[in-house]
Amino acid sequence: MLEGFLTEKFGYYREAIESKNMTEARFNNLDFLRAFALLAGVLLHALSLYLEPIDGSEPRPLAAILFIWIHSWRMPLFMVLAGFFTCLSLSKRSTSSYALNRLVRLGGPLILLWVAIPAVDESAAQMFKSPDFISWIMTGGPFTLRLDHLWFLYYLLIFYALVLAVKALTPRIFELMVNLKLNFLILSFFWLPIITLFAPWAKPIGGVFSEVPTTFGELKVGSMLFMLAFFIIGMQLFNNQTILHRLQAKSFWITAIICCSFVPIGLMAWGIMKDSPFVFPSTLEMWVVNALSTCASLFMVLAFIGASSRYILASGPILSWLVKLSYPTYVFHVVFVYSIGALLLLSGLNATLVVIGSFFSGVIGSLVIYYLLVWYTPLDWVFNGYKNSRFKLKIIGSTNNS
């Protein structure tokens, strides 16, 4: 009897401790992956210079292969991480507080895009175009509310609005949704078929290239549902963290990365060989292509999470710096990648040097802007949150400290 009592009590306190640790943990590996996904986007745009080179030369196969490989997993990974950190944040703060936080940190960069970041068309005679707001003020031009490379922030704003509305209005449905048991069987026989159903509308060009919105207010339902599925998987992953330990097995993530890396490359080759590139007229072919593409994306995401969980166990100054600066770097990089990249390409440099140069120009140019114009200003609240910013209001600071 005493043994049963102690076992019951010990189990209760162990679960309480594990729950407390789960909400207070920092998940350094997932912080790293989020920064990695953002910086991979900078490389993706540098590689895109050679998909249709502006100097009239032939596309570079290696650039296309790397582009397709990164494209196949980068945004699904980012959506899974966004869903995971959503549940982590909601476990520590109120719904209204989190809603305001998301509005500032996701809406802020979009406002910056419209007000201060010029559009770039490296193939046009006039490479830079004035931001929407400046064009509207100076010439009365249309306020297009363009999204460019920040389209995913627009989707995330929609996802947060939906999720927080469900949590506020129907909390039982929210609990059922995020607490659904998640394991390899559920991922393979529940989520994989659902995502595959969305894939033909999300990736209408040969199961490879996504169709995303270009302006605020535009909806591409297929790609939105495709990304929403990964977002919900991330939320469920937070409440089923035992699967993180299973993903760490080398036999899983090494095999998954190797096997799944060949899928998008093979699909690209298959699409190029069609009479009309990337057009699969056969219904069977279309579903095979999308099933393979979706499977590769899902298991590549899981593989990256597993590898990072195994090897990134603690934070450090380099990781903290990477996490802090990856978001502003991604927001500002396009101007530098395409403008400097175009100049390097037209100068006749080797393609490898052009890609490397445009990538680092995107990173360094963005860091210069961040440290000169953002770092010690309220703008840093957008990128790193008020708590982690150097600029603080004395009134708020004194209130928080009291």
Side-chain angles (χ1 to χ4, degrees):
M1 183 176 177
L2 178 61
E3 181 180 358
F5 173 80
L6 291 175
T7 301
E8 180 183 352
K9 288 296 181 183
F10 177 75
Y12 169 80
Y13 288 119
R14 182 179 63 184
E15 289 177 4
I17 290 170
E18 287 178 350
S19 176
K20 184 172 185 289
N21 289 340
M22 187 171 67
T23 59
E24 293 183 355
R26 185 53 253 180
F27 297 104
N28 298 295
N29 61 310
L30 302 186
D31 276 333
F32 165 78
L33 279 183
R34 186 166 51 181
F36 175 66
L38 288 170
L39 293 178
V42 181
L43 178 59
L44 192 80
H45 293 135
L47 290 166
S48 70
L49 290 166
Y50 282 101
L51 298 184
E52 294 181 7
I54 60 173
D55 63 355
S57 61
E58 290 294 317
R60 305 302 196 274
L62 181 58
I65 288 171
L66 288 174
F67 181 94
I68 295 298
W69 180 74
I70 295 171
H71 182 74
S72 69
W73 54 260
R74 188 181 73 89
M75 200 49 68
L77 173 62
F78 193 87
M79 290 297 170
V80 168
L81 297 175
F84 185 96
F85 283 113
T86 294
C87 279
L88 175 63
S89 296
L90 287 174
S91 69
K92 299 189 289 186
R93 62 199 307 172
S94 68
T95 301
S96 58
S97 171
Y98 188 62
L100 179 61
N101 175 276
R102 294 296 86 188
L103 185 61
V104 170
R105 297 197 62 186
L106 300 179
L110 289 174
I111 293 174
L112 277 174
L113 180 71
W114 301 330
V115 171
I117 302 177
V120 182
D121 183 353
E122 73 278 12
S123 63
Q126 184 179 348
M127 188 179 296
F128 296 99
K129 297 180 180 179
S130 298
D132 283 4
F133 180 73
I134 294 177
S135 176
W136 177 66
I137 291 292
M138 300 295 292
T139 66
F143 211 125
T144 61
L145 298 179
R146 74 187 206 276
L147 294 175
D148 293 357
H149 61 298
L150 300 183
W151 61 268
F152 70 101
L153 298 183
Y154 169 56
Y155 271 0
L156 284 175
L157 283 171
I158 296 174
F159 297 166
Y160 288 125
L162 291 173
V163 166
L164 295 179
V166 170
K167 186 176 188 297
L169 299 175
T170 56
R172 291 186 64 183
I173 293 178
F174 176 82
E175 292 298 323
L176 286 173
M177 178 178 68
V178 300
N179 290 315
L180 179 70
K181 185 175 178 62
L182 196 67
N183 52 39
F184 282 107
L185 282 177
I186 297 295
L187 286 166
S188 300
F189 297 103
F190 177 75
W191 277 116
L192 186 56
I194 288 177
I195 301 172
T196 301
L197 285 175
F198 298 146
W201 293 273
K203 301 180 178 182
I205 306 176
V208 175
F209 297 102
S210 300
E211 192 174 61
V212 298
T214 57
T215 58
F216 196 91
E218 180 186 6
L219 284 180
K220 299 293 185 181
V221 177
S223 63
M224 186 177 72
L225 293 175
F226 185 84
M227 295 301 172
L228 179 60
F230 282 100
F231 184 86
I232 296 174
I233 289 172
M235 297 179 73
Q236 293 174 355
L237 186 63
F238 177 78
N239 291 298
N240 293 271
Q241 292 183 31
T242 53
I243 196 174
L244 293 176
H245 300 290
R246 297 177 183 176
L247 296 178
Q248 294 179 31
K250 284 185 177 181
S251 57
F252 167 73
W253 62 263
I254 291 178
T255 303
I257 288 177
I258 292 174
C259 293
C260 294
S261 292
F262 286 105
V263 172
I265 298 169
L267 293 179
M268 182 186 72
W270 188 4
I272 291 173
M273 290 188 295
K274 304 298 291 184
D275 294 335
S276 298
F278 297 103
V279 175
F280 295 90
S282 164
T283 302
L284 177 61
E285 278 187 322
M286 180 197 72
W287 284 113
V288 169
V289 164
N290 282 285
L292 289 172
S293 174
T294 302
C295 184
S297 296
L298 177 60
F299 282 94
M300 281 288 285
V301 167
L302 297 175
F304 277 116
I305 292 173
S308 67
S309 299
R310 184 180 181 90
Y311 292 109
I312 301 176
L313 305 176
S315 184
I318 295 178
L319 178 58
S320 298
W321 185 77
L322 189 67
V323 170
K324 177 184 177 71
L325 297 177
S326 58
Y327 190 20
T329 296
Y330 189 80
V331 169
F332 295 120
H333 80 278
V334 165
V335 172
F336 301 100
V337 166
Y338 285 133
S339 60
I340 302 299
L343 293 174
L344 294 176
L345 191 155
L346 293 172
S347 71
L349 277 179
N350 175 273
T352 302
L353 294 178
V354 171
V355 170
I356 293 172
S358 58
F359 171 78
F360 280 105
S361 69
V363 172
I364 294 170
S366 299
L367 293 182
V368 170
I369 287 182
Y370 175 78
Y371 280 114
L372 286 180
L373 303 177
V374 175
W375 182 47
Y376 209 83
T377 74
L379 282 176
D380 201 31
W381 301 350
V382 170
F383 294 108
N384 290 298
Y386 182 83
K387 179 181 177 182
N388 299 316
S389 299
R390 291 181 63 87
F391 184 90
K392 290 183 170 63
L393 297 176
K394 291 184 179 180
I395 297 176
I396 297 177
S398 61
T399 302
N400 288 343
N401 291 332
S402 60

